[in-house]
């Protein structure tokens, strides 16, 4: 039986360059899925592009560390903006969980208003949903709406998180990232999944064409390398040779 491979591009809506890179990697490569930042500066642009590629599965990229919140988050924001101080709050045990739960619902509703349909699944920007105090909120949201959730099982084991009843891929890899992007790295991730006998695998990626918005990101030029690798024709052959079929979270 062929195994399911979901190649998910994060940050849909972050910038026009990010959106174009995802579209290129879907139309001419192996990207099958993306997750949208509904508060991103280029989210309407992303919505417009996606209409021409309806086969691209699109999920919610829940964010608590970037941009303006969709709802009211006075305890989470500084000068009206979300930021990476969330991690400091998590370490101090001062996360406003009621605000976070409300913001998740606001972003979910905003997704439907934008795309005209529910998200295929949920993950998060900077993996904030795997913070132990936040995970139960996002897991419950996914279960309530009957959609899968990205699960990093290393974090589950590290923090003894309860994943009972949560749908997800059997395996997840965030390793297709950094300065050493290559087709060899990608196929190595597939081989590792095969060795673990996983019947479904999500590979996270961030393909983009660099623009001014992305030049301010610490992770910038490797996004171009991701586009180059993910659109190599030989990569589809390598995936098929390993008995994987490309798909989206709808196939789970």
């Amino acid at each position: 039986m062929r195994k399911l491979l979901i190649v998910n591009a994060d940050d849909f809506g972050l910038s026009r360059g990010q959106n174009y890179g995802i579209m290129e990697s879907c139309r001419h490569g192996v990207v099958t899925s993306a997750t949208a930042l509904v508060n991103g500066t280029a989210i309407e642009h992303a919505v417009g592009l996606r209409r021409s590629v309806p086969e691209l599965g699109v999920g919610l990229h829940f964010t608590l560390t970037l941009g303006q919140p969709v709802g009211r988050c006075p305890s989470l924001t500084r000068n009206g903006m979300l930021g990476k101080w969330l991690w400091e709050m998590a370490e101090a045990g001062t996360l406003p969980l009621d605000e976070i739960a409300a913001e998740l619902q606001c972003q979910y509703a905003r997704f439907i208003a934008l795309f005209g349909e529910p998200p295929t699944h949920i993950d998060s920007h900077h993996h904030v949903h795997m913070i132990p105090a936040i995970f139960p909120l996002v897991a419950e949201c996914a279960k309530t709406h009957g959609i899968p959730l990205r699960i990093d099982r290393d974090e589950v084991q590290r923090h003894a998180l309860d994943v009972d009843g949560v749908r997800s891929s059997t395996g997840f890899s965030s390793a297709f990232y950094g300065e050493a992007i290559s087709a060899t790295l990608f196929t190595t991730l597939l081989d590792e999944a095969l060795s673990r006998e996983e019947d479904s695998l999500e590979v996270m990626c961030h393909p983009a064409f660099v623009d001014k918005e992305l030049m301010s990101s610490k992770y910038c030029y490797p996004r171009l390398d991701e586009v180059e690798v993910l659109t190599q024709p030989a990569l589809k052959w390598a995936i098929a040779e390993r008995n994987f079929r490309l798909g989206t979270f709808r196939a789970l």
Side-chain angles (χ1 to χ4, degrees):
M1 183 176 179
R2 298 176 71 192
K3 301 175 186 300
L4 174 65
L5 174 62
I6 303 166
V7 184
N8 189 90
D10 290 16
D11 295 347
F12 199 32
L14 177 62
S15 75
R16 285 177 172 253
Q18 185 71 58
N19 297 343
Y20 284 131
I22 291 172
M23 288 295 103
E24 178 75 8
S25 301
C26 175
R27 289 193 180 105
H28 304 292
V30 301
V31 166
T32 58
S33 177
T35 34
L37 285 161
V38 297
N39 68 342
T41 58
I43 187 59
E44 287 83 4
H45 180 252
V47 171
L49 290 177
R50 196 268 180 155
R51 292 192 188 105
S52 66
V53 190
E55 65 270 23
L56 178 70
V58 182
L60 174 64
H61 199 49
F62 179 46
T63 182
L64 294 171
T65 56
L66 179 73
Q68 295 180 329
V70 176
R72 291 188 68 258
C73 299
S75 301
L76 281 174
T77 54
R78 297 179 184 176
N79 299 317
M81 304 296 285
L82 300 165
K84 292 183 179 179
W85 48 83
L86 180 87
W87 301 102
E88 299 169 10
M89 299 175 75
E91 291 177 7
T94 58
L95 288 170
L97 297 180
D98 288 346
E99 281 185 24
I100 291 171
E103 178 63 15
L104 175 57
Q105 295 306 319
C106 286
Q107 290 189 26
Y108 188 93
R110 173 71 172 150
F111 182 101
I112 294 174
L114 285 164
F115 288 94
E117 61 186 7
T120 56
H121 66 293
I122 302 175
D123 59 29
S124 64
H125 198 51
H126 299 136
H127 302 292
V128 297
H129 73 289
M130 297 306 302
I131 293 174
I134 296 175
F135 182 81
L137 305 177
V138 187
E140 185 59 33
C141 178
K143 287 191 288 186
T144 297
H145 294 291
I147 58 176
L149 175 67
R150 173 185 287 170
I151 293 179
D152 183 332
R153 284 177 171 74
D154 289 338
E155 291 298 305
V156 168
Q157 186 173 14
R158 184 175 295 116
H159 299 291
L161 301 178
D162 181 8
V163 297
D164 187 46
V166 182
R167 256 195 311 147
S168 187
S169 57
T170 310
F172 164 71
S173 177
S174 60
F176 189 72
Y177 184 90
E179 302 296 328
I181 295 296
S182 68
T184 299
L185 172 59
F186 192 96
T187 55
T188 296
L189 301 179
L190 303 185
D191 292 337
E192 290 173 349
L194 290 172
S195 70
R196 293 190 295 267
E197 299 185 344
E198 295 168 350
D199 57 18
S200 58
L201 171 68
E202 179 197 359
V203 175
M204 180 189 77
C205 59
H206 301 80
F209 295 118
V210 174
D211 55 15
K212 286 185 178 180
E213 181 83 19
L214 292 179
M215 287 180 72
S216 64
S217 170
K218 291 182 179 179
Y219 190 64
C220 179
Y221 291 106
R223 296 178 192 245
L224 278 171
D225 297 330
E226 291 195 26
V227 174
E228 182 178 348
V229 171
L230 293 169
T231 56
Q232 289 180 11
L235 193 58
K236 287 188 177 181
W237 287 103
I239 290 169
E241 285 175 345
R242 288 164 171 78
N243 204 32
F244 280 96
R245 61 183 176 91
L246 289 164
T248 72
F249 279 89
R250 296 188 190 99
L252 286 176

